[in-house]
Amino acid sequence: MSANLSSLNQAFILKYVAVSGNSLLLHDYLITFSSEVEYMWKAPWTFVKAGFLLNRYGNLVGQTVITLQQIGVFGPGSQEFCNAFCLYYTLFMFFSSESVRLVVTMRAWAIWGCTYHATVWLFSLYTLYLVTVFGFACYFWRHSGAFPPIDGVCLARIAPFAWPLWAMTMVIDSIVLMLVCHRLRKSFTGFRSNSTSPLIRLLVRDAISFYAASMFNNGFSIICWTIFRQDPRAFLQLVFSFPILSIAGQRLVLNLRGMRARPCTSSFVSRMVDQQLAGMDDEWWHPVDVVSPGAGTTDLAMELTERPAR
């Protein structure tokens, strides 16, 4: 009796946290909707725009479906329903985290000037990471299964030793952050220069903000998948820290797009913003020609590569 009561209390906690996480995601969507319309809807279709919208609305719909199931709007009619819904859990976790991480990796590639070597290194790193994540996902699904419904909530058993997935993600995110900071320090010759400080602050701030959100998500996931592995609280990370990660990734794109719309007193800042946006608009490693106010036409990718560090 006490065990059943404990499980009910844990499922009750999960329901409230799920509502909180989904409310946070919805709140951020509402307050940034005008920016999305201005900077994304009016822009031409590119890989980044498609990825941003897929992540934004995919996470919003996916988290809402999970929340509605957990608060009992639609419930399990059978054990088979819970088995299918746990497969949905697994696929959604993969989509939610990797769709935003792909955009962040592309941003790092743009900061590195869209060069061929940057493309090869980042593509190889991310491909190796994706293969490993897919292997963990297969292991997770093979060694897990659905609990019997608890208070109308479908939950999956967490496979033992699945938590190293999040430790590996920590390593990948740390490598990307170090690459970004190294390139910024090497390419932009004055972090304290008035001409570069607005863009430098934006790039550094957003890189660190996303890294902090990712570390929180990874660390919280490790805690949930070890300490709470056999009870409903194992999925607290999916309904709470995943929305935070999604918000951080979406803000990264919107902030950069918004930087272009602000008046730039320095042609260098304007050209650097154009470089970022051109790189994120899927120009691959070809030289990027952009036009900035008073600066004429410039090959920014080559300029970033050849600009000496002081």
Side-chain angles (χ1 to χ4, degrees), residues 107-127:
R107 181 175 182 267
W109 167 71
I111 288 175
W112 271 82
C114 313
T115 63
Y116 175 79
H117 291 296
T119 303
V120 171
W121 280 102
L122 288 172
F123 177 80
S124 300
L125 179 67
Y126 191 71
T127 301

Side-chain angles (χ1 to χ4, degrees), residues 142-154:
R142 183 180 179 86
H143 293 83
S144 64
F147 283 109
I150 301 174
D151 193 24
V153 177
C154 288

Side-chain angles (χ1 to χ4, degrees), residues 198-218:
L199 183 62
I200 291 294
R201 284 197 299 267
L202 176 71
L203 296 177
V204 173
R205 183 198 69 190
D206 285 355
I208 294 177
S209 296
F210 178 81
Y211 181 76
S214 180
M215 290 298 104
F216 172 72
N217 178 63
N218 295 330

Side-chain angles (χ1 to χ4, degrees), residues 44-103:
W45 279 98
T46 62
F47 183 82
V48 170
K49 178 179 178 178
F52 171 86
L53 294 175
L54 181 64
N55 175 267
R56 187 167 174 86
Y57 289 96
N59 274 285
L60 188 61
V61 173
Q63 288 285 354
T64 301
V65 169
I66 291 174
T67 301
L68 292 177
Q69 198 286 314
Q70 292 182 347
I71 64 176
V73 173
F74 62 94
S78 63
Q79 184 66 36
E80 287 71 23
F81 174 89
C82 279
N83 291 337
F85 204 76
C86 288
L87 175 60
Y88 170 78
Y89 276 139
T90 304
L91 296 176
F92 178 74
M93 278 193 294
F94 181 82
F95 163 81
S96 179
S97 60
E98 300 319 312
S99 59
V100 66
R101 191 162 281 108
L102 177 60
V103 173

Side-chain angles (χ1 to χ4, degrees), residues 109-280:
W109 167 71
I111 288 175
W112 271 82
C114 313
T115 63
Y116 175 79
H117 291 296
T119 303
V120 171
W121 280 102
L122 288 172
F123 177 80
S124 300
L125 179 67
Y126 191 71
T127 301
L128 177 63
Y129 168 72
L130 278 183
V131 170
T132 307
V133 168
F134 182 75
F136 268 103
C138 293
Y139 169 80
F140 179 86
W141 178 245
R142 183 180 179 86
H143 293 83
S144 64
F147 283 109
I150 301 174
D151 193 24
V153 177
C154 288
L155 296 168
R157 292 183 175 89
I158 303 300
F161 307 111
W163 62 266
L165 166 66
W166 306 112
M168 182 191 65
T169 304
M170 285 182 169
V171 173
I172 294 296
D173 289 341
S174 298
I175 292 174
V176 172
L177 179 68
M178 287 188 292
L179 288 173
V180 167
C181 291
H182 172 73
R183 186 59 179 176
L184 288 175
R185 187 175 184 276
K186 181 179 180 181
S187 299
F188 303 122
T189 58
F191 273 84
R192 298 183 181 179
S193 168
N194 291 332
S195 63
T196 61
S197 57
L199 183 62
I200 291 294
R201 284 197 299 267
L202 176 71
L203 296 177
V204 173
R205 183 198 69 190
D206 285 355
I208 294 177
S209 296
F210 178 81
Y211 181 76
S214 180
M215 290 298 104
F216 172 72
N217 178 63
N218 295 330
F220 192 54
S221 297
I222 290 175
I223 292 173
C224 291
W225 282 23
T226 53
I227 298 177
F228 306 134
R229 188 172 71 86
Q230 295 296 332
D231 70 59
R233 292 172 294 178
F235 283 89
L236 287 174
Q237 44 90 27
L238 179 61
V239 297
F240 184 67
S241 61
F242 267 69
I244 294 176
L245 180 68
S246 178
I247 289 171
Q250 293 167 14
R251 287 297 187 98
L252 183 148
V253 176
L254 289 175
N255 290 341
L256 187 58
R257 295 277 180 173
M259 183 74 180
R260 190 177 200 177
R262 301 172 193 167
C264 295
T265 57
S266 166
S267 62
F268 181 71
V269 174
S270 178
R271 287 151 57 201
M272 292 302 103
V273 173
D274 284 336
Q275 160 67 15
Q276 278 280 294
L277 294 175
M280 293 188 69

